Amino acid sequence: MPNDETPSNGATLAAGPFSGPEAFAQLIREAIDAAAHEGWREWVWSDPDFSDWPLGERTVADAMQRWSSAGRRLTLLAERFDVFERHHARFVHWRRMWGHIVDARVCRGAGLPTVPSAIWTPTWALRRLDIERCRGHSGTDAMSRRALRESLDECLRSSREGFPISTLGL
């Protein structure tokens, strides 16, 4: 999956603990902006449902548009994607245009691993350890990134396609 070749060294992103919904949302905004400015090739977003991510904001949609280009890859991993249509309309619109660079996966069911709330890149990661209180940690620590990647890979192995670009009906 993602390799260790990404332009960012994670230096522009915060490192250390964070606490609270606004701090969490701000870190996501900063990561998306860094991805756009630094040309990150691949990354993974993971959350049970992405309900409290700021993906419906215009600035986020603009940054995602700047990030998008051939050779880029975003993997989305969730237990469900049903909140996107209601809360993240701008992201849904962007996804329809750039679906070929997005791999959306669902990992949900009895006996399957719990989907972490996180962003993983080869050089920086954010992990929300307490979703209810929006507490977690971000940074460049290789061991933390490796542990997160192993957790994500476990979910990805058990996942199936999800969040289609369009829904077809009769």
Side-chain angles (χ1 to χ4, degrees):
M1 180 131 205
N3 57 38
D4 287 337
E5 298 175 16
T6 193
S8 172
N9 63 8
T12 61
L13 293 168
F18 63 86
S19 182
E22 186 50 43
F24 173 68
Q26 187 59 32
L27 279 169
I28 292 170
R29 289 181 198 104
E30 290 171 8
I32 293 170
D33 192 54
H37 280 83
E38 298 172 12
W40 295 358
R41 290 186 203 148
E42 296 182 280
W43 51 340
V44 178
W45 297 0
S46 174
D47 195 79
D49 65 8
F50 294 96
S51 61
D52 55 354
W53 288 45
L55 302 178
E57 295 176 0
R58 181 178 308 279
T59 57
V60 169
D62 292 345
M64 289 305 296
Q65 188 63 32
R66 288 191 316 273
W67 171 78
S68 308
S69 72
R72 303 285 165 88
R73 194 82 186 140
L74 169 62
T75 300
L76 299 173
L77 177 64
E79 292 176 4
R80 62 184 185 277
F81 287 103
D82 58 335
V83 302
F84 276 79
E85 291 288 339
R86 293 188 310 273
H87 298 292
H88 306 313
R90 286 186 179 98
F91 184 86
V92 171
H93 177 73
W94 172 85
R95 170 144 168 50
R96 286 187 181 126
M97 293 186 320
W98 292 96
H100 59 286
I101 65 172
V102 178
D103 183 21
R105 311 292 300 175
V106 173
C107 181
R108 180 178 69 187
L112 294 180
T114 301
V115 173
S117 180
I119 292 177
W120 179 91
T121 77
T123 58
W124 181 84
L126 170 151
R127 185 162 192 178
R128 189 164 47 159
L129 302 169
D130 180 347
I131 293 176
E132 188 176 312
R133 293 175 188 84
C134 278
R135 293 182 185 158
H137 190 271
S138 66
T140 59
D141 178 66
M143 288 180 58
S144 296
R145 288 191 335 270
R146 186 176 309 115
L148 174 58
R149 184 63 212 208
E150 289 171 1
S151 177
L152 293 168
D153 284 345
E154 182 181 353
C155 290
L156 288 167
R157 279 190 294 276
S158 304
S159 70
R160 64 186 187 286
E161 288 185 29
F163 190 19
I165 293 172
S166 65
T167 54
L168 301 175
L170 298 176

